[in-house]
Amino acid sequence: MPYIPHTPNDITAMLATIGVGSIDELFDEIPTDLRCGQEKVPSFLTEMEIGQLMRQRAEQNSNAVCFLGAGAYEHHIPAAVWEITTRGEFYSAYTPYQAEASQGTLQLLYEFQTMMANLTAMEASNASLYDGASALAEAVLMAVRLTKTKAKRIIMPTTVHPIYRRVVNTIVKNQAITLTEIPYDIDSGTITLESLAHLTEADIAALVIPQPNFFGGLEAVDELTDWAHTQGIFVIGVVNPMTLAVLSPPGEWGIMGADIVCGEGQPLGIPLSAGGPYFGFMCCKKAYVRQMPGRIIGRTVDLDGKTGYTLTLQAREQHIRRSKATSNICTNQGLMVTAATIHTALLGTKGLQHTALTCHANTTALVEKLTDIEGVNRIFKGPFFHEVVLRLEKPVDEVLCELTTHNILGGYNLMKFYPELGNGLLVCATEMRTQAEIDNFASQLQRIMKK
């Protein structure tokens, strides 16, 4: 029989104890427009009907050729990655609190932390967070906790992923933390030291630096990092882990390196999967590790001198200490991390470098092809990685819609978040794209632009 912990009498007694008349009254703070109303859970389905429903859902997945990036990327994932990940030993999303029963999983998470620390050139890493956006929010909260001046203002460039900025604002706005957005340079699509010159007040806790930024542009990370540290401000790096195989790691930015690093781990062996699940990662300097949210795995020895792995530095109970906890939402994505660890181990240093360089070569080839088309121009100057912003002389929505009829996902429409760019289109080509696919994209776009 199903396990139902509370009988109607139990519920009535609990409501009476706290002085509430009904369940609806208990949750009256939830806005009406967010409630389900009188809608009920649909009736059960038979096994056959569930199978039919799942096949219908699967048919909605697209097999279109993808030139869409914007924070989620289609990379090749070796078959061994998910063949191993879905073994019974690993196939769980739960954190292994019982070390005596979870040495294999704990060792894998420890290896993940080591890989991420090496990749970012930082001293410490946690065992993952919910996703890249919430990881940035956690980094902001961590920086505020660390600042000795009790500053609660964060410099947030508009070149940071717009969804990340919205998530961060949602999480921190009720904690009196202010996000001060810095506009990008209209020529380079990056932030400049000139745009920061007026920000020398003592109430600033941290500067967020994306690398690459949302437009694919490469920020002047060394200069920006040194400026922030000169002002006594923490530096939070938001990075794509795949690009770190060829770009300068945040631990080496400027003279002292970034203080906190976070990002989305999806490029490391996680399929697009219609939007998730993905995982966030976070690294920091050793001096700040006590304020880092999430699980941290340590290696030690037992009484017999044998190597053992366990959760360390943070007690499990810290996450239920409300305002005194480092975080109340630092969900660990153990299964995704398992895949990422196996994927990174299989590729190794040379494999990651080859993938990153091939992505750059394909994006460069794509941009050259598309900008040869009349009515298609590159907006920003300067170096880029992974993706580039183009301006079309036709409405982007119409162009993308027609491209889908030819089985092409042609990029990301920037009108919603960056209307000042006009018909701005963000395009991306990973190592998955062939020359034939790039040529076909260019051919179809040229035909559409001529109409």
Side-chain angles (χ1 to χ4, degrees):
M1 62 179 292
Y3 175 66
I4 303 174
H6 305 131
T7 66
N9 289 337
D10 291 334
I11 295 173
T12 301
M14 287 188 287
L15 291 174
T17 299
I18 61 176
V20 178
S22 66
I23 294 293
D24 289 338
E25 185 180 343
L26 178 63
F27 295 105
D28 63 355
E29 63 182 341
I30 300 176
T32 304
D33 59 332
L34 296 181
R35 302 184 190 185
C36 296
Q38 299 301 315
E39 295 179 12
K40 297 181 179 179
V41 176
S43 59
F44 70 90
L45 300 178
T46 65
E47 180 183 348
M48 181 181 69
E49 290 170 334
I50 291 174
Q52 292 170 338
L53 177 63
M54 297 306 293
R55 283 191 291 272
Q56 292 170 5
R57 295 288 188 269
E59 289 171 359
Q60 295 176 9
N61 290 332
S62 171
N63 63 350
V65 178
C66 184
F67 292 93
L68 177 62
Y73 304 96
E74 183 185 10
H75 290 293
H76 171 66
I77 303 174
V81 172
W82 283 94
E83 183 67 27
I84 298 172
T85 302
T86 53
R87 286 178 60 92
E89 301 95 310
F90 293 123
Y91 207 18
S92 171
Y94 286 94
T95 300
Y97 292 115
Q98 293 178 289
E100 66 276 12
S102 310
Q103 283 299 293
T105 302
L106 286 167
Q107 181 179 356
L108 182 140
L109 293 174
Y110 180 84
E111 298 296 344
F112 165 78
Q113 293 173 175
T114 304
M115 290 176 177
M116 296 310 300
N118 288 339
L119 200 57
T120 59
M122 300 298 287
E123 295 174 317
S125 167
N126 69 11
S128 85
L129 295 168
Y130 183 68
D131 61 11
S134 60
L136 177 55
E138 292 288 356
V140 166
L141 293 171
M142 180 177 171
V144 169
R145 290 194 301 273
L146 286 168
T147 183
K148 296 179 180 179
T149 62
K150 305 300 180 183
K152 286 196 170 186
R153 190 147 68 101
I154 305 296
I155 304 176
M156 182 71 72
T158 52
T159 56
V160 173
H161 197 304
I163 300 298
Y164 285 28
R165 286 186 276 129
R166 291 175 65 176
V167 170
V168 173
N169 182 62
T170 298
I171 292 175
V172 308
K173 65 181 180 181
N174 291 323
Q175 302 190 46
I177 297 174
T178 302
L179 304 180
T180 299
E181 293 197 340
I182 300 300
Y184 54 85
D185 178 71
I186 58 174
D187 291 324
S188 66
T190 60
I191 55 175
T192 64
L193 288 178
E194 289 74 16
S195 66
L196 300 171
H198 66 289
L199 297 171
T200 56
E201 297 88 344
D203 66 338
I204 298 174
L207 166 66
V208 177
I209 306 177
Q211 186 74 334
N213 66 30
F214 184 66
F215 300 139
L218 300 184
E219 302 283 359
V221 293
D222 294 331
E223 291 83 356
L224 294 171
T225 299
D226 288 342
W227 175 87
H229 286 153
T230 300
Q231 305 298 322
I233 300 171
F234 288 104
V235 172
I236 301 172
V238 184
V239 298
N240 178 335
M242 183 63 72
T243 69
L244 295 181
V246 293
L247 297 181
S248 175
E252 298 176 3
W253 291 354
I255 297 174
M256 300 172 60
D259 301 292
I260 306 170
V261 179
C262 61
E264 173 57 59
Q266 181 271 328
L268 302 178
I270 313 302
L272 293 177
S273 304
Y278 298 152
F279 75 92
F281 62 88
M282 179 180 285
C283 303
C284 70
K285 292 180 178 177
K286 187 177 180 180
Y288 310 138
V289 71
R290 284 284 185 179
Q291 287 296 334
M292 183 162 60
R295 282 62 164 159
I296 301 173
I297 314 303
R299 185 176 68 179
T300 184
V301 293
D302 62 15
L303 293 176
D304 297 323
K306 297 179 180 178
T307 298
Y309 301 89
T310 184
L311 296 179
T312 188
L313 291 180
Q314 299 177 1
R316 177 183 183 184
E317 292 74 18
Q318 66 113 4
H319 303 292
I320 58 173
R321 294 176 65 214
R322 298 182 179 272
S323 61
K324 293 183 179 180
T326 55
S327 173
N328 294 114
I329 57 170
C330 54
T331 301
N332 168 245
Q333 291 283 10
L335 186 64
M336 299 300 106
V337 167
T338 300
T341 306
I342 296 167
H343 180 269
T344 306
L346 285 174
L347 266 62
T349 303
K350 291 184 178 179
L352 289 172
Q353 289 176 342
H354 176 74
T355 300
L357 291 173
T358 304
C359 289
H360 182 61
N362 283 352
T363 303
T364 301
L366 175 67
V367 172
E368 290 175 353
K369 278 280 187 181
L370 298 186
T371 53
D372 282 341
I373 301 171
E374 186 177 352
V376 180
N377 300 287
R378 187 180 166 196
I379 293 182
F380 301 123
K381 302 174 184 177
F384 59 86
F385 196 98
H386 238 357
E387 41 210 333
V388 172
V389 179
L390 305 176
R391 179 178 286 122
L392 309 184
E393 293 182 3
K394 282 195 170 188
V396 173
D397 273 345
E398 295 179 12
V399 173
L400 292 178
C401 184
E402 186 157 353
L403 284 170
T404 59
T405 65
H406 296 278
N407 210 38
I408 297 173
L409 297 177
Y412 184 80
N413 186 354
L414 295 172
M415 179 62 74
K416 179 178 180 180
F417 295 110
Y418 301 94
E420 70 276 8
L421 295 178
N423 292 315
L425 177 66
L426 187 67
V427 296
C428 170
T430 69
E431 84 283 6
M432 294 286 287
R433 300 287 66 85
T434 66
Q435 187 61 52
E437 290 170 338
I438 293 173
D439 291 342
N440 182 52
F441 182 15
S443 176
Q444 295 297 341
L445 183 58
Q446 183 175 37
R447 180 187 57 77
I448 294 170
M449 297 302 293
K450 281 184 178 180
K451 278 189 177 181

